[in-house]
Amino acid sequence: MKQLFHISQNTNASGQQVLSIRLGEKHGCFAISNKSGSELYELAYCSADRWDEKELSNWLAAYPSLTNSFYECQVAYDFPDGLFVPAAVYKQEEATLLLNGDNNSGENIITEQVSGWQFNTIYAVPKEIQQWLSQKFPAAKYRHQYSLEIRTIHTIREGGMLLVDFRKDDLTVMVAGGGKFLLAQCFPYSTPDDVLYYLLKICRQFSLSQQEVVVELSGLVDKQSSLYRELYQYFIHIAFRDADWEAGSEYPAHFFTTLNDLAKCAS
């Protein structure tokens, strides 16, 4: 396990605290905030070659605050095997076949209704990881990252929008246009050209104009990076989607937006 970021704010963390955990194939992060998600108390972002019970136990030992008592714990799974299925055609018995064609004994297949949308999210989570989290955080509420991100789409512009969230080695793209939600997919990348290839291909596939589509960025991409400069060469309407909390002046506000989104799910 490698720590990429660790933030510990010098604030008086009183009142109801919420723990937000986001976990994918190679990244794991958490944030401790107030109930509304407006104040950040602690945040850590780590990477691993593969998350398993040993790595998760090391993660827990490295951050003792994870064993505190919390008003609520929110978990977003960020594994790439996930898809949306219209509720009108969804059948529980077909969930596994729709996702991967065959039930992998090492994974649990989960179905989640997406509030406010006529979709179900079907996704796979390694059994080892789900069991560990259930033992350590028995009262946690779970969802897939796709279900979390679609909540941030309030108005679908006619010219289209791409919500792009970057991790260290991959990215998630949510696509909407023409008054409809069109796509949610995860892509691996290693160079700016990889990212441009995916985004331009998506625009062609859904007939979205590069001059009209809005591209909202979050996650691990810097405004001074070659990746951002390349994107700016091809898209006119680019903006960063910032977190509402203050993560410290050394880190851009958009690095941890998805964790902030998760914290705001606390009831």
Side-chain angles (χ1 to χ4, degrees), residues 116-176:
W117 296 80
Q118 299 302 311
F119 292 127
N120 288 327
T121 311
I122 305 173
Y123 59 97
V125 178
K127 290 181 179 179
E128 181 181 17
I129 289 176
Q130 187 178 20
Q131 290 170 357
W132 187 91
L133 285 170
S134 297
Q135 290 172 0
K136 301 300 181 183
F137 307 101
K141 298 179 180 179
Y142 299 87
R143 57 177 53 79
H144 193 270
Q145 186 66 24
Y146 290 169
S147 304
L148 175 65
E149 291 191 32
I150 199 173
R151 289 165 54 110
T152 68
I153 302 176
H154 303 295
T155 302
I156 299 179
R157 299 177 70 260
E158 194 65 29
M161 60 190 305
L162 308 178
L163 300 182
V164 188
D165 184 67
F166 291 89
R167 276 85 66 180
K168 188 171 178 289
D169 300 305
D170 63 358
L171 65 139
T172 297
V173 184
M174 310 282 284
V175 186

Side-chain angles (χ1 to χ4, degrees), residues 4-185:
L4 303 181
F5 306 100
H6 184 219
I7 299 167
S8 183
Q9 305 277 40
N10 293 319
T11 58
N12 183 18
S14 60
Q16 297 171 323
Q17 295 182 32
V18 171
L19 173 64
S20 304
I21 297 174
R22 183 183 179 194
L23 193 64
E25 282 190 319
K26 295 186 177 182
H27 61 276
C29 49
F30 76 88
I32 298 173
S33 68
N34 65 346
K35 182 181 174 182
S36 66
S38 62
E39 296 181 12
L40 175 66
Y41 305 131
E42 185 177 2
L43 182 151
Y45 196 116
C46 301
S47 64
D49 291 336
R50 176 182 175 272
W51 288 102
D52 54 21
E53 185 176 352
K54 179 180 178 181
E55 288 287 18
L56 287 169
S57 296
N58 291 338
W59 187 56
L60 190 67
Y63 303 103
S65 55
L66 289 171
T67 61
N68 293 347
S69 296
F70 295 98
Y71 167 75
E72 200 165 285
C73 177
Q74 301 277 343
V75 177
Y77 288 122
D78 208 10
F79 298 98
D81 289 339
L83 54 85
F84 287 129
V85 177
V89 299
Y90 169 76
K91 295 180 180 179
Q92 176 66 42
E93 63 272 18
E94 296 178 356
T96 298
L97 289 173
L98 285 170
L99 187 63
N100 56 20
D102 187 20
N103 187 13
N104 186 333
S105 60
E107 294 182 322
N108 285 334
I109 307 300
I110 301 172
T111 298
E112 172 191 350
Q113 291 184 336
V114 183
S115 177
W117 296 80
Q118 299 302 311
F119 292 127
N120 288 327
T121 311
I122 305 173
Y123 59 97
V125 178
K127 290 181 179 179
E128 181 181 17
I129 289 176
Q130 187 178 20
Q131 290 170 357
W132 187 91
L133 285 170
S134 297
Q135 290 172 0
K136 301 300 181 183
F137 307 101
K141 298 179 180 179
Y142 299 87
R143 57 177 53 79
H144 193 270
Q145 186 66 24
Y146 290 169
S147 304
L148 175 65
E149 291 191 32
I150 199 173
R151 289 165 54 110
T152 68
I153 302 176
H154 303 295
T155 302
I156 299 179
R157 299 177 70 260
E158 194 65 29
M161 60 190 305
L162 308 178
L163 300 182
V164 188
D165 184 67
F166 291 89
R167 276 85 66 180
K168 188 171 178 289
D169 300 305
D170 63 358
L171 65 139
T172 297
V173 184
M174 310 282 284
V175 186
K180 299 178 181 179
F181 180 79
L182 301 172
L183 177 72
Q185 194 163 344

